[in-house]
Structures are given as structure tokens and as C-alpha cells.
Amino acid sequence: METVILAVVIAVVVLAALGGLVVGSRRRKPLPPPPPKAPDITAPPAEPHVGDEAETPRDEPRRTIEEVDLPGGPAPVVIEEEPPVVEAPAIEIPEPTEGRLVRLRARLSRSQNALGKGLLTLLSREHLDEDTWEEIEDTLLTADVGVQPTQELVERLRERVKVLGTRTPQELRGLLRDELLTLVGTDLDRTVRTEPEDRKPGIVMIVGVNGTGKTTTTGKLARVLVADGRTVVLGAADTFRAAAADQLQTWGERVGAHTVRGPEAGDPASVAFDAVKEGKEMGVDVVLIDTAGRLHTKTGLMDELGKVKRVVEKHAPLDEVLLVLDATTGQNGLVQARVFAEVVDITGIVLTKLDGTAKGGIVVAVQRELGVPVKLVGLGEGADDLAPFEPEAFVDALIGD
């Protein structure tokens, strides 16, 4: 009997437990949603959330709610506004480069008092004694011509003046023009090499110390090339300054040149490599690589510049390595030039700020120091103030009319 009672109690407990589980599961089932409420068109529109405008995708129409008068009274109506169209920057057509230095002659001639006019004044004296020749030497040295070129020029002037005898102002100007042209060099190849015969694109790397204007020069050179009918890709390998990449991209957008850039503080060699790669894929004529400013006294930075050159040359040899020098630094610039030439093979010089305070003799000195020609000169802050160097126009600006 006790066994029967115990079995009944166990059965009751089991049934109670099963009943609790069923009831619990039913309670956990979600209730069906209430039927949608009919909109009240007479209710005022809800205030927009502060974050609504920021959350609206830029490429989707913007929705606004306005009240309009209907026969039954004013009612809110949703109005969709088309997103504003962002216009691409207008492509500029740069000024032709042919004869640009002649057009900029007025700016270049501002430095003529230090050299050309000073020499003409001294040579016009009735008696050219030793003191006068020393003054001529001082004038040339002050104009940053350099010691050796100065001695050569003075010696040739002495001989020609002695043979000439009587000297009219016109004869003196012609004599001085001839000797200055000899000093500057008219037989040097000053072409910026950007058209290799066996491949495309031409590859140009721009180097120099901080503050000489490399990024600006790179942008202006892109304008020079576009003005001559070339297509260009810019490589922003100055990854130490985010502003440098932004600046270079702005220069490129103005003339329709594509800019390749990398992360801030990234590997400059990687950016240069990618720029050449994209230039080849796009089939452009020239790739210009802007490098970070290097202090010529910092060995590690200079070694990194050598690495950029080696990595780029995995694609193809560099056609040009242009060293940008500030013409106002004078003999200081020669020390910089010497160190850069030891790290990379400099093929040409770009002299910036060759107006106003610059002394024209630096053209002679830097060519003698490196054995490479000055190929471009910057004569102002304007976008088209970078000009191919023309010896005749340069000398004519120095000695005046």
C-alpha cells in the first residue's frame, strides 16, 4: 500500500513540474505588435533631432517638412531636396614656357646693381689702376661668383681692355656681355630630360634641404611640363609633413595631374615606388617625385634619400635628379650641393628666389662646384614664375640695356 501511495506522489510532482515549464514558455513568447495607427495629418511635424543633418548621407536627397495650404486646411508635406553638386576644380592652362625668362626679365634685373651695373661703372673709369681691378674683383666675389671664376674673368677683362684701348660705353657692355656669357656657359645642355627614347614615363626626382622650396618647385615644374604638352603624375614622397602632400596635391589638381601619396610618417621609398608604378599603368609622360627636405649634416636622412633612389630604379633609371637651392644662401648653398652630390647623382640645379636680393654670380659658382648646369630658375611667388634657364636672357638682365 505504501508503495502505491509513493508512486502517486511522484507522478503528481512530475506533472506539476511539466505544467510549470509549459506556462513559462508561453509567457516568454513575444506579443504581436499593435496595429499601425493612422497618421494624423493635422498634427504638427516633430522637431528634427540635432544629429539628423549630420547623419544624412551626402549622396542621398535631403528631406524637409513644410506646411502647404490645401482645401481642407494647412497640412505638412515632405519635400525632397537634391544634394548639392560638388564641382571639380577648374583645370588651369599654364603660361607657355618658351621665352618665359625674357618675360620675367624685370624681376631678374633687380639684382643687376650687385653685378652688372657695378662692373660697368668700374670699367668705365678713365684709368683702370690696380685699385680699380681690386674693386672689380670685390664686386664679383660679393655677387657670389666664386674665387676661381672671379680670377679668370678679371684676367680676361684686363687683356681685352688693354687691347681695346679707348672704351665707349657700348663697347664695354659688349665686352662684359661676352665674358659673362663665357663664364655662365652657353654650350651646356640645360634640357630637363623627361623623354627617354626606350620607355615611358620619364622619372624626375627633386631633392634639397629644408626651406628651399622643393614642393613648390615640384608643383611649378608640373605646370611647366603641362604647358609643353606633357602628362604628369606627382609622387608625394615627403611623408614627414602632411601639409607637403596636401600642397603637392593642390598643385596637381590645378593642372590635372594625378598625385600619389601615402600615410603620414610612412616610408618615402614606398610612395616613390608606387608613383612610378601608377605612372606606368596610366601611360603618362613624366613622374615627378618630391622628397622630404634633408639637413645635409644628418647622415641618416641622407642615407634614406639614397634608398628612395635605389627603390625607384627597380622600375627604371632616374632621368633627372634636380637639386633645389635657395639663391639667397650664396656660398652656403655650395656646401649643401656638395653633400647631396655625394649621395645621389645630381644632373641639374634649380635656383629659387633668384630675384631681388639674390646675387647672380651663384649661377656660375654652383655650376663650377658640381659640374652640372643650372636648368631652371625661380623668379617669384607666382604659379608660372619658374623658367627654363637661358644664359643670354640672364646676362642681358644683369647688365641692363
Side-chain angles (χ1 to χ4, degrees):
M1 186 66 179
E2 291 178 357
T3 304
V4 173
I5 293 172
L6 181 60
V8 171
V9 171
I10 292 173
V12 170
V13 172
V14 171
L15 289 173
L18 291 174
L21 290 173
V22 171
V23 172
S25 64
R26 286 179 178 176
R27 286 178 180 173
R28 286 193 295 269
K29 287 185 178 179
L31 295 175
K37 198 174 182 181
D40 184 4
I41 64 172
T42 62
E47 290 293 327
H49 190 270
V50 175
D52 287 348
E53 182 175 349
E55 293 170 1
T56 302
R58 294 186 178 181
D59 56 350
E60 292 184 5
R62 185 182 300 276
R63 294 176 174 81
T64 59
I65 301 177
E66 297 182 6
E67 284 194 353
V68 297
D69 292 328
L70 296 176
V77 175
V78 176
I79 298 177
E80 291 189 354
E81 298 179 0
E82 290 296 326
V85 178
V86 179
E87 295 184 1
I91 303 298
E92 299 179 9
I93 301 176
E95 178 184 346
T97 58
E98 186 177 354
R100 186 180 286 186
L101 189 59
V102 174
R103 294 192 295 274
L104 296 172
R105 178 175 170 178
R107 293 179 185 174
L108 181 59
S109 62
R110 292 172 191 167
S111 62
Q112 67 181 351
N113 289 334
L115 184 56
K117 282 190 175 180
L119 291 176
L120 282 174
T121 300
L122 291 170
L123 290 170
S124 298
R125 290 181 181 177
E126 186 174 353
H127 299 289
L128 295 179
D129 55 17
E130 288 301 318
D131 289 339
T132 301
W133 287 112
E134 285 185 9
E135 288 185 57
I136 291 173
E137 283 190 7
D138 290 341
T139 300
L140 290 165
L141 292 173
T142 304
D144 289 328
V145 171
V147 176
Q148 186 65 31
T150 292
Q151 292 175 348
E152 293 176 10
L153 179 58
V154 169
E155 185 176 345
R156 291 200 302 269
L157 286 173
R158 276 176 176 265
E159 292 178 0
R160 293 195 61 178
V161 167
K162 185 177 181 179
V163 171
L164 186 63
T166 305
R167 306 177 304 278
T168 66
Q170 197 62 33
E171 288 173 332
L172 283 175
R173 181 171 282 103
L175 180 152
L176 186 58
R177 183 180 189 275
D178 292 343
E179 294 303 331
L180 286 175
L181 278 175
T182 300
L183 207 59
V184 171
T186 57
D187 56 347
L188 299 174
D189 181 8
R190 302 182 187 275
T191 306
V192 178
R193 296 191 295 271
T194 57
E195 294 182 285
E197 297 179 357
D198 56 342
R199 59 179 168 81
K200 287 178 70 172
I203 308 171
V204 180
M205 187 165 74
I206 292 87
V207 302
V209 301
N210 293 315
T212 55
K214 290 183 312 307
T215 300
T216 300
T217 297
T218 306
K220 290 183 178 182
L221 179 55
R223 294 180 66 88
V224 168
L225 294 170
V226 170
D228 290 339
R230 315 282 177 76
T231 53
V232 179
V233 161
L234 300 173
D238 183 353
T239 59
F240 298 110
R241 294 187 305 126
D246 293 339
Q247 182 184 2
L248 190 64
Q249 185 165 350
T250 299
W251 278 103
E253 289 173 348
R254 291 168 67 179
V255 293
H258 174 60
T259 302
V260 177
R261 53 189 298 177
E264 187 175 358
D267 183 10
S270 175
V271 176
F273 184 87
D274 290 343
V276 178
K277 179 182 177 183
E278 292 194 28
K280 292 174 70 175
E281 292 172 351
M282 296 171 64
V284 300
D285 298 316
V286 189
V287 174
L288 301 179
I289 301 171
D290 176 36
T291 61
R294 259 83 178 164
L295 295 173
H296 60 288
T297 55
K298 299 294 183 181
T299 305
L301 292 175
M302 296 301 290
D303 289 344
E304 188 176 73
L305 184 61
K307 176 187 173 184
V308 173
K309 179 178 182 291
R310 291 192 301 273
V311 168
V312 168
E313 289 183 332
K314 291 181 179 180
H315 279 299
L318 284 167
D319 298 289
E320 287 278 5
V321 179
L322 299 177
L323 175 63
V324 180
L325 293 176
D326 183 338
T328 62
T329 60
Q331 296 298 311
N332 250 356
L334 299 185
V335 178
Q336 300 167 9
R338 191 180 304 117
V339 177
F340 274 90
E342 293 172 358
V343 179
V344 290
D345 298 324
I346 305 298
T347 59
I349 305 295
V350 182
L351 281 176
T352 62
K353 306 177 186 177
L354 193 63
D355 63 321
T357 58
K359 301 166 184 177
I362 190 64
V363 171
V364 176
V366 73
Q367 289 184 157
R368 287 291 186 93
E369 180 66 33
L370 295 184
V372 296
V374 172
K375 294 191 173 184
L376 297 162
V377 289
L379 299 167
E381 300 298 326
D384 292 322
D385 287 347
L386 184 70
F389 183 74
E390 302 166 16
E392 291 83 359
F394 174 74
V395 170
D396 287 342
L398 288 183
I399 63 177
D401 296 325

